[in-house]
């Protein structure tokens, strides 16, 4: 395992800062004690003045892009072991017949294996921060896996106290659900030197009672916790929501004062103009999950309409059970393509798409002051991407965004660093053993399948 170093100099790359000014610099990035201290000529000059023996580590980025680490705004790491085992197309049937039975059969060991497998894939694909929704139980096992891996994360246990088709193993009372979520926060919020934050994660309208929603609202206000939930994902879901609460999910959230700058809603496909206005007024965020939306046949989100309404936006893969990959580059390409269909007059530009997975994605999680762009004073969540492959050539030096969004691949990632600590470099992980992780995942997946069959 590679030890963290106090100082790094990333040399001679094309630095795509993803800041609001759109800065692109050919040169160096200097990192000291986990923080970016200089970029470009300033980095070169400052590094030359460092004491003998510094920088402790040098990374040659010639022929590569240096980018802020990618932010995955909506994930279910507990579902990585379900990859290929839940192929039904409709959202509610998929949940009730496959996902919930598998989640109910999880043990601490299987859920930890699932999380490690997901993080293994994510780090190799340049992801440095995730927003994860676990299942009802075993949140400590997920938290421990996240902390050990070195990744940055917002995570929370799924809150569920009602709903058709919910297995007994996922059923809690509203009081039990909220109490266990807050206890999880007491144990883990701020862990990993501040890399780990704990959210409140009510699954969606159909799985949470009004008392539970009120408790989530009050706890979020009192503790400043993110509320991470699913919103307007499919037409079938919308019909059931209307039958249960007499309104749409977004209007229910607005009426019950759940919308705020701490609210992060995944999917948001079937929101109307008025609902987008409600979210924008509250400074709430939506996370676009195009791969999952396409695979489940849920629909096409109009992200241009979100942005035009003033809604903060991020990008996510959702879970490996409905994608089936945790590949942000795949999502970037899909997001750009879907936008050409949903809003042909003004589709997302490549830079806008990339911002969903960098600065805008960090802002959606309330973390943009620290991550999401390469700027002095920010945390050194940095990736290096190989720009020399035939599949990206030729590259316009003035427009790396188009090549990154439409041509780059997860396999182009050469380096993934979080808070100045290298977690993945040149095909090797520093905190995870890939052979052990995959072998354990295969073993736990088989045992999980047997438990589901016996249930």
């Amino acid at each position: 395992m590679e030890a963290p170093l106090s100082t790094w100099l990333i040399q001679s790359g094309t630095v795509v800062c993803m800041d609001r000014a759109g800065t692109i610099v050919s040169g160096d990035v200097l990192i000291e004690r986990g923080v970016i201290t200089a970029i470009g000529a300033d980095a070169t000059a400052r590094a030359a003045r460092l004491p003998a023996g510094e920088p402790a580590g040098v990374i040659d980025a010639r022929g590569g892009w240096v980018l802020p680490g990618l932010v995955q705004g909506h994930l279910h790491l507990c579902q990585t072991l379900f990859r290929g085992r839940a192929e039904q197309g409709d959202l509610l049937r998929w949940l009730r017949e496959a996902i919930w039975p598998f989640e109910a059969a999880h043990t601490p060991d299987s859920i930890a294996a699932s999380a490690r497998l997901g993080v293994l894939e994510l780090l190799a694909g340049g992801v440095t921060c995730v927003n994860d929704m676990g299942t009802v139980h075993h949140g400590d096992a997920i938290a421990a896996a996240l902390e050990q891996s070195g990744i940055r994360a917002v995570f929370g246990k799924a809150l569920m106290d009602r709903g058709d088709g919910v297995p007994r193993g996922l059923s809690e009372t509203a009081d039990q659900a909220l109490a266990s979520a807050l206890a999880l926060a007491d144990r883990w919020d701020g862990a990993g030197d501040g890399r780990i934050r704990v959210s409140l994660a009510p699954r969606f309208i159909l799985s949470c009672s009004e008392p539970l929603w009120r408790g989530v609202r009050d706890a979020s206000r009192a503790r400043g916790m993110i509320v991470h939930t699913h919103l307007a994902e499919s037409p079938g879901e919308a019909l059931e929501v209307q039958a249960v609460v007499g309104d749409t999910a977004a209007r229910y959230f607005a009426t019950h004062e759940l919308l705020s700058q701490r609210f992060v809603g995944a999917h948001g496909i079937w929101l109307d103009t008025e609902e987008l206005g409600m979210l924008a007024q509250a400074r709430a965020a939506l996370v676009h999950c195009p791969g999952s939306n396409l695979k489940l046949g849920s629909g096409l989100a109009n992200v241009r309409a979100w942005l035009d309404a003033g809604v903060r936006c991020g990008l996510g893969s959702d879970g490996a059970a409905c994608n089936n990959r945790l590949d942000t580059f795949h999502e970037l390409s899909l997001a750009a393509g879907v936008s050409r269909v949903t809003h042909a007059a003004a589709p997302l530009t490549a830079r806008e798409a990339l911002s969903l997975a960098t600065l805008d994605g960090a802002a959606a999680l309330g973390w943009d002051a620290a991550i999401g762009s390469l700027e002095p004073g920010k945390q050194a969540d940095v990736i290096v991407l190989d720009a020399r492959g035939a599949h990206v050539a030729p590259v316009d030096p003035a427009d790396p965004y188009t090549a990154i969004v439409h041509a780059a691949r997860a396999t182009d990632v050469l380096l993934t660093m979080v808070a100045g600590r290298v977690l993945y470099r040149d095909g090797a992980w520093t905190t995870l053993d890939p052979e052990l992780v995959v072998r354990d995942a295969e073993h736990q997946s088989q045992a999980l399948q047997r438990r589901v069959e016996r249930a």
Side-chain angles (χ1 to χ4, degrees):
M1 298 295 182
E2 182 174 330
L5 299 175
S6 59
T7 308
W8 286 97
L9 183 66
I10 302 177
Q11 287 185 319
S12 307
T14 298
V15 186
V16 184
C17 294
M18 293 310 298
D19 57 355
R20 297 300 180 197
T23 306
I24 301 173
V25 177
S26 294
D28 302 345
V29 177
L30 182 64
I31 295 158
E32 300 176 81
R33 292 180 295 279
V35 175
I36 299 167
T37 55
I39 294 173
D42 290 344
T44 308
R46 182 170 177 138
R49 297 193 299 269
L50 290 172
E54 297 284 345
V58 177
I59 295 166
D60 184 356
R62 284 176 295 180
W65 293 299
V66 184
L67 292 161
L70 303 178
V71 178
Q72 271 277 358
H74 177 65
L75 283 169
H76 296 274
L77 289 171
C78 69
Q79 296 177 10
T80 316
L81 291 192
F82 312 165
R83 190 177 350 232
R85 295 183 181 270
E87 295 301 294
Q88 296 93 337
D90 173 76
L91 171 67
L92 295 179
R93 179 185 165 208
W94 175 81
L95 284 170
R96 290 164 177 162
E97 296 184 8
I99 297 304
W100 289 345
F102 272 107
E103 288 189 11
H106 258 313
T107 65
D109 287 343
S110 66
I111 209 167
S114 189
R116 285 192 293 265
L117 182 64
V119 172
L120 190 79
E121 180 181 359
L122 291 162
L123 290 176
V127 172
T128 57
C129 180
V130 301
N131 181 32
D132 179 66
M133 181 185 291
T135 187
V136 171
H137 303 296
H138 316 308
D140 289 298
I142 294 178
L146 291 169
E147 184 183 38
Q148 183 265 332
S149 74
I151 201 166
R152 191 179 301 276
V154 181
F155 88 101
K157 61 157 279 175
L159 305 178
M160 301 173 69
D161 71 332
R162 74 169 184 188
D164 292 341
V166 177
R168 182 176 300 175
L170 297 183
S171 179
E172 294 183 301
T173 68
D175 288 344
Q176 288 170 336
L178 192 59
S180 59
L182 297 180
L184 194 66
D186 291 339
R187 291 190 295 273
W188 290 100
D189 196 61
D193 295 323
R195 286 185 294 102
I196 307 297
R197 294 180 177 177
V198 179
S199 67
L200 295 162
R203 189 152 211 150
F204 67 155
I205 287 282
L206 296 176
S207 65
C208 300
S209 67
E210 186 166 324
L212 181 52
W213 285 114
R214 288 198 302 267
V216 166
R217 177 198 63 200
D218 295 345
S220 174
R221 288 175 177 173
R223 296 194 178 210
M225 297 171 71
I226 281 177
V227 176
H228 176 204
T229 191
H230 297 86
L231 173 63
E233 184 174 355
S234 79
E237 171 205 7
L239 290 173
E240 290 202 22
V241 169
Q242 185 71 39
V244 170
V245 301
D247 212 336
T248 66
R251 290 182 175 88
Y252 181 91
F253 291 145
T255 300
H256 290 77
E257 300 179 324
L258 282 147
L259 298 180
S260 75
Q261 63 183 2
R262 300 177 303 280
F263 182 94
V264 180
H267 303 290
I269 303 168
W270 299 97
L271 296 167
D272 63 31
T273 301
E274 182 181 43
E275 290 170 318
L276 289 176
M278 293 173 179
L279 270 75
Q281 184 175 9
R283 298 297 296 145
L286 291 173
V287 178
H288 185 30
C289 303
S292 170
N293 296 342
L294 289 166
K295 188 165 186 290
L296 288 177
S298 299
L300 305 176
N302 188 341
V303 179
R304 171 59 69 203
W306 297 1
L307 293 171
D308 286 350
V311 177
R312 299 182 298 126
C313 304
L315 186 71
S317 288
D318 208 339
C322 62
N323 193 299
N324 291 0
R325 64 185 81 175
L326 306 181
D327 180 346
T328 313
F329 292 93
H330 178 62
E331 301 303 321
L332 286 168
S333 180
L334 288 177
V338 166
S339 182
R340 289 194 173 273
V341 175
T342 58
H343 209 302
L348 294 177
T349 66
R351 181 180 164 191
E352 285 176 316
L354 186 56
S355 191
L356 294 178
T358 52
L359 186 56
D360 287 346
L365 302 182
W367 228 329
D368 51 314
I371 63 170
S373 60
L374 302 182
E375 301 179 66
K378 284 198 167 185
Q379 291 283 298
D381 290 14
V382 184
I383 65 174
V384 176
L385 194 64
D386 192 350
R388 297 167 296 186
H391 58 283
V392 297
V395 177
D396 179 355
D399 179 24
Y401 310 108
T402 294
I404 293 166
V405 169
H406 291 285
R409 304 169 182 168
T411 50
D412 295 328
V413 174
L414 301 175
L415 172 84
T416 302
M417 171 187 289
V418 175
R421 183 184 185 188
V422 173
L423 303 181
Y424 175 84
R425 186 177 184 182
D426 297 330
W429 291 260
T430 66
T431 60
L432 296 168
D433 182 322
E435 292 186 7
L436 288 177
V437 168
V438 173
R439 187 161 63 243
D440 186 39
E442 290 173 342
H443 168 73
Q444 292 294 339
S445 177
Q446 292 166 7
L448 181 67
Q449 179 69 46
R450 289 193 294 269
R451 289 194 296 274
V452 170
E453 292 170 352
R454 290 197 302 263

